[in-house]
Structures are given as C-alpha cells and as structure tokens.
Amino acid sequence: MVPAENVRQLPQSHNSTELIVPRHGVVTLTGYNIEARVDRGHLLLEDGIGPNRRYARLPRVGHRLKRLVVIGSDGMVSLAALRWLADQDASFVMLERNGKVLAVTGPVRPSDAKLRRSQCLSHSSGAALRIARALIRQKLAAQEHVARHKLLDSNTADAIARSKTELPGADSITTIRLIESQAARVYWSAWSTLPINFPKNDLKRVPEHWRNFGARVSPLTGSPRLAANPPNAILNYLYALLESESRLAAAALGLDPGLGVLHVDTPARDSLACDLMEPIRAQIDAEGYLLDSGDHNG
C-alpha cells in the first residue's frame, strides 16, 4: 500500500527538506521551480528556495486537500494536476507576488439561466441597490467594531457609525460608494500610526517607515497595489486570498463573478467577487494583525 504522503529520494546536495502537509485543507506553494504534477495517480508537489525544498505525494484518498495556492510564476503546473484537483473537488488559486489574483478554478454549479438573467437585471430591478446597502452596512459595522474594540479609537468608531446611519437614505449606488469612501478615509487614518513590532535583533535593519502601518495607498502606484511596507503587503496578500475565495463562492452558487453591483464593470476583474469581499475586509484587517484589547503586534 502506498503511504498517504511520501517524499521522493533527494540528492545529497539538498541542504534541507520538509514534507508538505495540508493545513486546514490548504497547501500554499511559493519560491522557485514550483512543481505540481501527477505520477501514477498521485499529486506530486514541490516548492522552496535554493537547496531548501519541500515535497509531497498526495494520493486520491485521504489527502485532505481543498485548496492549492501557488504564489509566483516560476515553475510548472501540469494539465494532469489541474484535472486531479478538479476530480477531487479541490480548488486551484494562483497569485502574483504583488497580491494580484492571476487564476482561480474550482467546483462550479451548473449554469442557471434564470439566475444569471436576474443578476444581469439587478440594477434595473432595484435589487442591486438593496444588495449594495446591505454589503456596505455590514462593512461599516465591522469597521466600527475594529475601531472601537481593537484600535480603541472611539472618535473614529463614532464617525463610521454616523456614516452608517446615512445608508438607508442612499438612493443610488453612487451615493453608497461615496458614503463608503468617506468612512474608509476615517478608518484608514486611524490605522496610520499603528505601531508595527519587529524582533529586537532586527530593528537596526528595519526602515523607519516600516515601524508604523502608514498610508494604505502606496506611493509607487497611488493605490494599495505594490505596497511599500510589510503590513500593507500582508493586507494585499490576505485580500488576494479573500478575492479568490469570493470568486469560488460566487461560482459555486451559479452566479457570474464578473457581474457586480458596487464595483463597476472592468475588464479582467471579477466585480461581484470584489463586492462580496466588502463585509469581510475589516475582519481580515483585525485578524491579520492580531489586534486584541490594544495589544498591537505586527
């Protein structure tokens, strides 16, 4: 019997090897010469940097794999590996190192024409406005909670709460976007001075602008893309994972991930997935930095 996980024989030149084991159903591959292929019905995985490599051999039974996440584009994922994942109802996600979602595949519900037609007509039927209000109401409630109970900033929390009270009277998607953007400016302003802790031995090598959260907008792009410090880069990565999960969720329900209600139609963007991310973002913010009762650790 083939063991559940097996590491192939390694050359003597390898300095360090490690077995890849799914954690909560997820395997993340990163580094260089990434590999995902199939051999005699088993999924073979490999990643790492230089001589420090990780390996796994996953059988079709008992593998516990639900998501295979690849970060970067140096390596190879075979068509047989994608078919293996599809047969096992496991999803595949490919992220660029700057946080951009490059590819997402996973279980998809059979197309329902009536559902898709209703989705397309949501703006004219009024459903889009109701959905947008609900999404942003949940987002602002989550931001208020983080500001009040994690950042311990009651002024910011009160300002976000006031923005939330304006939502019931918003009579257009444009107005809802304006309310959301005003609350976001206040929210991220409260984050700007948040201290980011590093090990004492590393402090001499840490640039000064890395020691606080800073601005959410990168000076390199004028947007959150290409973050200029570690905390914002971490957020970009976490948001990329959230975007891929939102896309998978929409597709699993038979919805078109590209037909959004809040985010405008844009080529090569899944606007509905971006909409679905909104209520979860603040939870990602807090958990990403382990904010708890004022103990702010990077």
Side-chain angles (χ1 to χ4, degrees):
M1 179 179 292
V2 178
E5 289 164 334
N6 186 31
V7 179
R8 71 189 188 193
Q9 197 67 30
L10 305 177
Q12 294 300 317
S13 59
H14 284 263
N15 295 339
S16 175
T17 61
E18 180 182 347
L19 189 65
I20 300 174
V21 179
R23 297 183 59 186
H24 306 291
V26 179
V27 166
T28 300
L29 303 180
T30 187
Y32 300 92
N33 294 321
I34 295 169
E35 186 173 310
R37 62 187 179 88
V38 174
D39 177 54
R40 289 174 291 183
H42 291 70
L43 181 67
L44 304 187
L45 304 175
E46 177 181 343
D47 75 349
I49 298 176
N52 300 315
R53 309 296 294 173
R54 301 192 309 158
Y55 299 88
R57 184 184 187 97
L58 305 181
R60 291 182 179 273
V61 177
H63 52 75
R64 307 190 305 278
L65 182 64
K66 297 179 180 178
R67 299 279 189 278
L68 177 61
V69 180
V70 173
I71 302 175
S73 55
D74 189 282
M76 181 273 293
V77 177
S78 72
L79 295 177
L82 294 177
R83 176 61 187 270
W84 191 98
L85 293 169
D87 289 343
Q88 299 299 309
D89 286 333
S91 302
F92 172 75
V93 177
M94 183 176 179
L95 307 178
E96 186 55 273
R97 292 188 177 93
N98 64 4
K100 181 180 179 182
V101 179
L102 297 178
V104 179
T105 65
V108 177
R109 181 178 174 180
S111 180
D112 183 338
K114 292 182 179 179
L115 179 63
R116 297 291 180 102
R117 186 172 291 111
S118 296
Q119 187 181 357
C120 292
L121 296 174
S122 63
H123 284 274
S124 58
S125 68
L129 186 60
R130 295 192 297 272
I131 293 170
R133 282 201 199 101
L135 290 173
I136 298 305
R137 181 174 63 251
Q138 293 178 53
K139 178 180 183 177
L140 297 190
Q143 288 181 337
E144 180 190 353
H145 178 82
V146 170
R148 193 178 305 280
H149 300 289
K150 304 297 184 178
L151 299 177
L152 304 182
D153 187 335
S154 58
N155 291 332
T156 295
D158 291 343
I160 296 173
R162 287 192 294 272
S163 294
K164 188 172 61 174
T165 62
E166 299 175 12
L167 283 172
D171 58 359
S172 69
I173 299 294
T174 300
T175 302
I176 293 174
R177 291 193 192 110
L178 179 60
I179 293 170
E180 186 275 334
S181 66
Q182 290 172 342
R185 281 196 294 271
V186 175
Y187 176 71
W188 290 116
S189 178
W191 277 78
S192 62
T193 57
L194 181 73
I196 305 299
N197 298 333
F198 291 88
K200 291 182 179 180
N201 293 338
D202 293 338
L203 286 178
K204 292 182 180 180
R205 298 180 295 170
V206 175
E208 188 64 32
H209 70 280
W210 283 17
R211 301 190 183 191
N212 292 311
F213 183 86
R216 184 70 186 108
V217 174
S218 169
L220 302 175
T221 60
S223 74
R225 296 288 184 187
L226 294 181
N229 63 9
N232 280 286
I234 291 171
L235 266 192
N236 287 349
Y237 169 64
L238 295 175
Y239 285 164
L241 293 177
L242 177 59
E243 181 182 342
S244 64
E245 288 295 316
S246 298
R247 189 195 187 287
L248 289 170
L253 292 173
L255 296 167
D256 188 329
L259 297 177
V261 294
L262 271 167
H263 291 79
V264 298
D265 296 341
T266 302
R269 183 177 74 182
D270 292 323
S271 294
L272 179 61
C274 293
D275 293 343
L276 297 177
M277 292 171 60
E278 297 297 349
I280 314 299
R281 285 180 180 270
Q283 181 180 342
I284 295 294
D285 302 340
E287 294 185 359
Y289 294 100
L290 304 177
L291 301 183
D292 185 17
S293 301
D295 181 14
H296 302 159
N297 293 311

